[in-house]
Amino acid sequence: MELLDENKCTGCTACYSACPVHAIEMKETKKGFFVPSIDSDKCINCKLCQKTCPEMNIEGINYNQPQHTYLAKNEDAIRMNSSSGGVFLSLAQEIIKREGTVYGAQYNSAIMVEHGRASDIKEAKKFCGSKYIQSNVGDAFSHVLDDLKSGKWVYFSGTACQVSGLINYLTKKNCNMDKLITQDFICHGVASPTFFADYKKALERKNRAKIVKFNFRGKPSPHKLQNIIVDFDNGKRFISASTSQDFFYHHFFKNLIIKPSCFNCKYANVKRVADITLGDCYHPINENINNDGYGISYFQVNTEKGLEFFGSIDTSNMELIETDCNKYIQPNMKAPSEKNPNYDAFWNEYETNGFKAAIKKYGNGSIKDEMKRIAAQIIYKLKTKGQVRQ
Ligand SMILES: Cc1cc2nc3c(=O)[nH]c(=O)nc-3n(C[C@H](O)[C@H](O)[C@H](O)COP(=O)(O)OP(=O)(O)OC[C@H]3O[C@@H](n4cnc5c(N)ncnc54)[C@H](O)[C@@H]3O)c2cc1C
């Protein structure tokens, strides 16, 4: 049985979850991305894996035109732990109120990213905040199936390709999806788990301590919404000064470390597969919403079911205004991220000589860059002295 080449597969896990004889395993590529691998001894040639794969059945993908678009700011207690306006947690809260379950991406004990299941709000809070690494979905799809079969409401949050895979899987299982709410986000692409692991190791070496907490979107001060904050077990804290200076964000935004399939993303569109789509709004355009610099969410409700659900959430502590989606079209709502011309060379160098050599040759890891980074850190610390929120 042939599945997609690892560079085209999104790693959504639909084929893995659908296989009736468990002949598929999700394995890590050299870049650390999860892709399926078939054990031909176990395979019974039923082709269910191929039939369930969204990428191999593009004509079956159902894209929904956004029905309403909003900007929103949740109460500070939620917003400060979220990436932008903190809309996600209010949506999750409504499902918990209905005694349902919420699925989202969390850090595991090794500070790598995986999908988890929550049935109370404390657990659901672990999903708050963007983690820019491909999430290990594991057995989440089959747990969603079990929850729906037992009559529960389910909220699934993930990338558009994961949502698309889940819908195909549940369709093949003839599952009633009336109580399923899906939510994706505008997506630049998911980054390499291998790079992330090496990035963390480099920080640990430099600080001579173990990372105990990692946050991609730390909000250390107003209008600083894309700063990494890392806490170490010796009490030290690292705050990245800017996206261009930071090793992770530099390579992420230069499209050197995102998944190869993201360059051919079928979901980089205003029309979406999920009921609800979340995104960031950095600059509200002539809108009646106060931009205090601690994050505003952009979000689209794409289906009737999504609208009905959204109508039932508690928005009493939220600043919420309806807007026009045409005012906030981002590059990844029009087209996938473009492959960096040095992408293959970068990864050849990485696989041959490692993280340090690759970022030195193709990224921001040279001695000159290091000097700039030190200067930026000093300036940042001086500028934000007294301003940084605990
Ligand atoms: C890889 C990635 C790329 C993104 N690219 C863009 C972009 O180009 N433009 C834009 O406007 N917004 C982008 N976002 C979305 C944005 O950063 C916020 O997540 C979104 O605005 C929701 O914010 P919030 O404050 O409402 O909720 P938050 O509390 O931030 O909600 C986070 C939700 O995202 C889910 N999530 C987090 N990390 C992952 C992951 N690795 N895989 C699957 N699900 C995850 C969680 O399960 C949770 O439900 C991206 C997010 C990710 C993870």
Side-chain angles (χ1 to χ4, degrees):
M1 186 64 47
E2 286 281 303
L3 282 175
L4 286 177
D5 167 63
E6 69 171 52
N7 292 324
K8 291 190 181 141
C9 169
T10 63
C12 74
T13 71
C15 60
Y16 158 80
S17 310
C19 179
V21 292
H22 306 291
I24 301 179
E25 234 187 290
M26 295 302 289
K27 287 197 169 158
E28 286 172 55
T29 65
K30 286 185 179 159
K31 299 182 183 78
F33 294 115
F34 298 95
V35 293
S37 158
I38 303 184
D39 180 342
S40 52
D41 291 338
K42 285 190 190 164
C43 176
I44 53 169
N45 228 9
C46 67
K47 295 194 170 59
L48 199 55
C49 50
Q50 291 184 345
K51 290 178 200 158
T52 314
C53 172
E55 298 296 299
M56 293 174 92
N57 301 280
I58 303 163
E59 63 297 336
I61 300 174
N62 185 23
Y63 300 97
N64 303 288
Q65 182 73 39
Q67 305 206 5
H68 290 272
T69 308
Y70 304 89
L71 299 185
K73 248 172 74 186
N74 216 330
E75 58 187 288
D76 275 5
I78 294 177
R79 203 160 50 112
M80 293 312 288
N81 293 312
S82 307
S83 302
S84 41
V87 171
F88 159 74
L89 201 67
S90 289
L91 297 166
Q93 230 150 10
E94 175 58 28
I95 290 284
I96 302 285
K97 217 169 85 190
R98 296 180 187 193
E99 296 184 354
T101 52
V102 177
Y103 289 80
Q106 64 190 16
Y107 294 108
N108 62 19
S109 55
I111 316 194
M112 294 306 281
V113 184
E114 65 184 22
H115 258 70
R117 175 182 184 272
S119 49
D120 66 43
I121 204 65
K122 191 171 163 235
E123 284 179 297
K125 280 183 183 167
K126 291 190 287 191
F127 306 146
C128 286
S130 293
K131 299 130 190 122
Y132 291 105
I133 312 305
Q134 185 198 19
S135 162
N136 180 1
V137 178
D139 292 317
F141 285 11
S142 51
H143 295 317
V144 168
L145 176 70
D146 292 343
D147 284 344
L148 289 172
K149 272 186 174 168
S150 69
K152 283 188 196 307
W153 276 90
V154 174
Y155 184 95
F156 182 89
S157 163
T159 58
C161 50
Q162 288 166 348
V163 169
S164 190
L166 176 67
I167 291 171
N168 275 16
Y169 164 71
L170 295 172
T171 306
K172 284 280 173 285
K173 291 281 182 190
N174 291 319
C175 177
N176 183 330
M177 287 184 253
D178 287 354
K179 286 187 169 179
L180 172 71
I181 302 293
T182 54
Q183 171 254 300
D184 64 2
F185 41 81
I186 303 161
C187 187
H188 180 74
V190 289
S192 153
T194 299
F195 186 94
F196 181 53
D198 284 335
Y199 170 83
K200 285 186 298 167
K201 268 187 221 156
L203 283 178
E204 288 186 334
R205 259 198 308 271
K206 196 167 177 186
N207 289 278
R208 295 201 185 115
K210 280 248 159 265
I211 294 174
V212 288
K213 196 168 169 212
F214 195 97
N215 188 348
F216 276 105
R217 301 280 299 259
K219 303 188 179 179
S221 51
H223 304 285
K224 287 274 179 191
L225 293 167
Q226 209 103 32
N227 293 62
I228 289 174
I229 299 190
V230 182
D231 290 312
F232 296 91
D233 64 359
N234 60 359
K236 271 193 187 178
R237 170 170 273 200
F238 162 78
I239 306 178
S240 64
S242 72
T243 49
S244 59
Q245 304 291 341
D246 179 68
F247 290 139
F248 178 83
Y249 275 129
H250 175 89
H251 293 83
F252 182 61
F253 288 124
K254 291 277 179 204
N255 300 338
L256 281 163
I257 54 169
I258 66 177
K259 195 170 186 315
S261 61
C262 299
F263 299 126
N264 196 24
C265 177
K266 308 290 185 305
Y267 310 97
N269 201 313
V270 174
K271 291 186 187 174
R272 313 298 297 187
V273 285
D275 297 305
I276 295 169
T277 301
L278 302 181
D280 300 306
C281 171
Y282 291 107
H283 307 290
I285 305 163
N286 302 326
E287 308 276 16
N288 192 18
I289 194 162
N290 169 31
N291 185 8
D292 62 358
Y294 284 106
I296 297 174
S297 289
Y298 163 91
F299 73 100
Q300 295 178 191
V301 186
N302 309 311
T303 62
E304 281 298 326
K305 190 171 37 163
L307 266 184
E308 220 173 275
F309 177 72
F310 180 63
S312 65
I313 76 162
D314 179 8
T315 54
S316 54
N317 291 329
M318 215 185 257
E319 254 185 77
L320 177 76
I321 51 161
E322 183 149 8
T323 187
D324 174 4
C325 93
N326 293 311
K327 282 166 80 175
Y328 295 100
I329 306 266
Q330 301 185 23
N332 292 118
M333 290 160 87
K334 286 192 283 194
S337 294
E338 255 178 58
K339 185 172 175 176
N340 187 307
N342 286 327
Y343 187 89
D344 295 327
F346 172 83
W347 281 103
N348 277 338
E349 183 69 22
Y350 202 112
E351 279 160 27
T352 318
N353 296 314
F355 170 82
K356 228 172 154 184
I359 63 169
K360 196 167 173 185
K361 197 159 174 186
Y362 297 105
N364 61 348
S366 69
I367 293 176
K368 200 168 140 198
D369 288 320
E370 187 57 26
M371 304 305 284
K372 279 193 209 161
R373 203 166 6 261
I374 293 167
Q377 283 287 348
I378 295 168
I379 294 167
Y380 176 75
K381 274 186 189 158
L382 291 173
K383 262 192 185 168
T384 55
K385 214 172 175 191
Q387 219 188 62
V388 175
R389 280 200 187 192
Q390 287 305 308

mmCIF file of all heavy atoms in Angstrom, residues 80-97:
data_model
loop_
_atom_site.group_PDB
_atom_site.id
_atom_site.type_symbol
_atom_site.label_atom_id
_atom_site.label_comp_id
_atom_site.label_asym_id
_atom_site.label_seq_id
_atom_site.Cartn_x
_atom_site.Cartn_y
_atom_site.Cartn_z
ATOM 1 N N MET A 80 -3.936 37.067 29.183
ATOM 2 C CA MET A 80 -2.495 37.092 29.447
ATOM 3 C C MET A 80 -1.847 35.719 29.278
ATOM 4 O O MET A 80 -0.653 35.609 29.108
ATOM 5 C CB MET A 80 -2.202 37.658 30.847
ATOM 6 C CG MET A 80 -2.544 39.127 31.006
ATOM 7 S SD MET A 80 -1.919 40.189 29.690
ATOM 8 C CE MET A 80 -0.179 40.196 30.075
ATOM 9 N N ASN A 81 -2.655 34.656 29.325
ATOM 10 C CA ASN A 81 -2.110 33.304 29.122
ATOM 11 C C ASN A 81 -2.439 32.762 27.737
ATOM 12 O O ASN A 81 -2.229 31.581 27.468
ATOM 13 C CB ASN A 81 -2.659 32.348 30.194
ATOM 14 C CG ASN A 81 -2.133 32.720 31.557
ATOM 15 O OD1 ASN A 81 -0.939 32.940 31.720
ATOM 16 N ND2 ASN A 81 -3.016 32.850 32.521
ATOM 17 N N SER A 82 -2.969 33.600 26.875
ATOM 18 C CA SER A 82 -3.337 33.166 25.522
ATOM 19 C C SER A 82 -2.456 33.898 24.519
ATOM 20 O O SER A 82 -1.776 34.861 24.866
ATOM 21 C CB SER A 82 -4.801 33.503 25.246
ATOM 22 O OG SER A 82 -5.619 32.980 26.275
ATOM 23 N N SER A 83 -2.533 33.475 23.261
ATOM 24 C CA SER A 83 -1.662 34.105 22.253
ATOM 25 C C SER A 83 -2.137 35.490 21.871
ATOM 26 O O SER A 83 -1.359 36.428 21.784
ATOM 27 C CB SER A 83 -1.646 33.281 20.975
ATOM 28 O OG SER A 83 -1.226 32.013 21.269
ATOM 29 N N SER A 84 -3.441 35.589 21.605
ATOM 30 C CA SER A 84 -3.926 36.905 21.188
ATOM 31 C C SER A 84 -5.049 37.348 22.131
ATOM 32 O O SER A 84 -4.765 37.693 23.274
ATOM 33 C CB SER A 84 -4.320 36.904 19.706
ATOM 34 O OG SER A 84 -4.992 35.744 19.324
ATOM 35 N N GLY A 85 -6.295 37.311 21.672
ATOM 36 C CA GLY A 85 -7.370 37.837 22.520
ATOM 37 C C GLY A 85 -7.957 36.834 23.499
ATOM 38 O O GLY A 85 -8.837 37.168 24.284
ATOM 39 N N GLY A 86 -7.485 35.580 23.429
ATOM 40 C CA GLY A 86 -7.956 34.575 24.394
ATOM 41 C C GLY A 86 -9.372 34.079 24.141
ATOM 42 O O GLY A 86 -10.084 33.714 25.083
ATOM 43 N N VAL A 87 -9.782 34.050 22.873
ATOM 44 C CA VAL A 87 -11.134 33.576 22.544
ATOM 45 C C VAL A 87 -11.267 32.075 22.800
ATOM 46 O O VAL A 87 -12.301 31.592 23.253
ATOM 47 C CB VAL A 87 -11.465 33.889 21.057
ATOM 48 C CG1 VAL A 87 -12.761 33.211 20.623
ATOM 49 C CG2 VAL A 87 -11.573 35.387 20.873
ATOM 50 N N PHE A 88 -10.187 31.334 22.514
ATOM 51 C CA PHE A 88 -10.237 29.874 22.610
ATOM 52 C C PHE A 88 -10.846 29.401 23.928
ATOM 53 O O PHE A 88 -11.725 28.545 23.942
ATOM 54 C CB PHE A 88 -8.834 29.263 22.413
ATOM 55 C CG PHE A 88 -8.732 27.884 22.985
ATOM 56 C CD1 PHE A 88 -9.335 26.816 22.354
ATOM 57 C CD2 PHE A 88 -8.088 27.663 24.201
ATOM 58 C CE1 PHE A 88 -9.296 25.545 22.907
ATOM 59 C CE2 PHE A 88 -8.042 26.402 24.764
ATOM 60 C CZ PHE A 88 -8.649 25.335 24.111
ATOM 61 N N LEU A 89 -10.384 29.971 25.058
ATOM 62 C CA LEU A 89 -10.807 29.419 26.350
ATOM 63 C C LEU A 89 -12.312 29.597 26.590
ATOM 64 O O LEU A 89 -12.945 28.727 27.186
ATOM 65 C CB LEU A 89 -10.001 30.006 27.503
ATOM 66 C CG LEU A 89 -10.028 29.123 28.744
ATOM 67 C CD1 LEU A 89 -9.303 27.799 28.528
ATOM 68 C CD2 LEU A 89 -9.443 29.823 29.957
ATOM 69 N N SER A 90 -12.888 30.687 26.094
ATOM 70 C CA SER A 90 -14.336 30.879 26.268
ATOM 71 C C SER A 90 -15.113 29.847 25.459
ATOM 72 O O SER A 90 -16.174 29.390 25.890
ATOM 73 C CB SER A 90 -14.746 32.287 25.850
ATOM 74 O OG SER A 90 -14.254 33.197 26.795
ATOM 75 N N LEU A 91 -14.591 29.494 24.284
ATOM 76 C CA LEU A 91 -15.250 28.469 23.458
ATOM 77 C C LEU A 91 -15.159 27.118 24.176
ATOM 78 O O LEU A 91 -16.138 26.376 24.272
ATOM 79 C CB LEU A 91 -14.589 28.394 22.078
ATOM 80 C CG LEU A 91 -14.695 29.687 21.231
ATOM 81 C CD1 LEU A 91 -13.736 29.644 20.053
ATOM 82 C CD2 LEU A 91 -16.116 29.907 20.731
ATOM 83 N N ALA A 92 -13.972 26.836 24.727
ATOM 84 C CA ALA A 92 -13.763 25.575 25.449
ATOM 85 C C ALA A 92 -14.681 25.519 26.677
ATOM 86 O O ALA A 92 -15.268 24.480 26.985
ATOM 87 C CB ALA A 92 -12.298 25.460 25.868
ATOM 88 N N GLN A 93 -14.815 26.668 27.347
ATOM 89 C CA GLN A 93 -15.626 26.750 28.571
ATOM 90 C C GLN A 93 -17.077 26.310 28.312
ATOM 91 O O GLN A 93 -17.678 25.622 29.129
ATOM 92 C CB GLN A 93 -15.639 28.206 29.063
ATOM 93 C CG GLN A 93 -15.303 28.350 30.507
ATOM 94 C CD GLN A 93 -14.618 29.693 30.791
ATOM 95 O OE1 GLN A 93 -14.572 30.582 29.932
ATOM 96 N NE2 GLN A 93 -14.090 29.835 31.983
ATOM 97 N N GLU A 94 -17.613 26.712 27.151
ATOM 98 C CA GLU A 94 -19.000 26.373 26.815
ATOM 99 C C GLU A 94 -19.155 24.845 26.665
ATOM 100 O O GLU A 94 -20.138 24.262 27.113
ATOM 101 C CB GLU A 94 -19.418 27.101 25.529
ATOM 102 C CG GLU A 94 -20.793 26.737 25.005
ATOM 103 C CD GLU A 94 -21.945 26.987 25.999
ATOM 104 O OE1 GLU A 94 -21.816 27.878 26.853
ATOM 105 O OE2 GLU A 94 -22.967 26.252 25.903
ATOM 106 N N ILE A 95 -18.142 24.190 26.065
ATOM 107 C CA ILE A 95 -18.204 22.730 25.893
ATOM 108 C C ILE A 95 -18.142 22.040 27.254
ATOM 109 O O ILE A 95 -18.853 21.082 27.518
ATOM 110 C CB ILE A 95 -17.044 22.238 24.975
ATOM 111 C CG1 ILE A 95 -17.271 22.697 23.540
ATOM 112 C CG2 ILE A 95 -16.840 20.726 25.055
ATOM 113 C CD1 ILE A 95 -18.325 21.925 22.763
ATOM 114 N N ILE A 96 -17.270 22.565 28.140
ATOM 115 C CA ILE A 96 -17.134 21.979 29.486
ATOM 116 C C ILE A 96 -18.468 22.108 30.229
ATOM 117 O O ILE A 96 -18.904 21.195 30.911
ATOM 118 C CB ILE A 96 -15.990 22.678 30.282
ATOM 119 C CG1 ILE A 96 -14.648 22.570 29.536
ATOM 120 C CG2 ILE A 96 -15.909 22.180 31.718
ATOM 121 C CD1 ILE A 96 -13.957 21.249 29.553
ATOM 122 N N LYS A 97 -19.130 23.289 30.049
ATOM 123 C CA LYS A 97 -20.434 23.514 30.681
ATOM 124 C C LYS A 97 -21.445 22.461 30.219
ATOM 125 O O LYS A 97 -22.299 22.026 30.967
ATOM 126 C CB LYS A 97 -20.931 24.914 30.301
ATOM 127 C CG LYS A 97 -21.665 25.617 31.413
ATOM 128 C CD LYS A 97 -21.903 27.074 31.103
ATOM 129 C CE LYS A 97 -23.171 27.268 30.273
ATOM 130 N NZ LYS A 97 -23.316 28.621 29.760
#
